[in-house]
Amino acid sequence: CYSFIFFAFSLAFFVLASDASLRDFAGVISVFTTMVRAGLSGDFDYESFTSHTMGTDVGPITFFIFIIFSQIIMTNLLIAIVSSEYDKAAQAGEQKWEYG
């Protein structure tokens, strides 16, 4: 699910930044690199999202929506991992209690 959202937003930024003079959005690979840096590590150049080709409102709003979706998906992933490990620990504790 995250890869689909990541791919869709990367293509959206590639289309929005049709000006090839933007270094962060010059090609498909650079767009993916920029989105990984922005979405996962928070390392991005805010001015590149507010360029005249993207529009002063569309770029930041699209980026904000991408970050919100990314954080929701990553939080759900964390909850799923913790829940799975809790179930494993509870099952192991129950077996230990029953069989000594």
Side-chain angles (χ1 to χ4, degrees), residues 18-63:
S18 59
D19 186 11
S21 66
L22 292 173
R23 181 181 54 85
D24 291 339
F25 302 102
V28 176
I29 301 299
S30 62
V31 170
F32 285 132
T33 306
T34 301
M35 297 304 289
V36 167
R37 283 187 8 240
L40 297 179
S41 68
D43 177 30
F44 64 94
D45 181 24
Y46 183 74
E47 284 78 28
S48 66
F49 289 102
T50 59
S51 69
H52 67 281
T53 56
M54 255 193 237
T56 55
D57 295 333
V58 176
I61 289 171
T62 307
F63 178 67

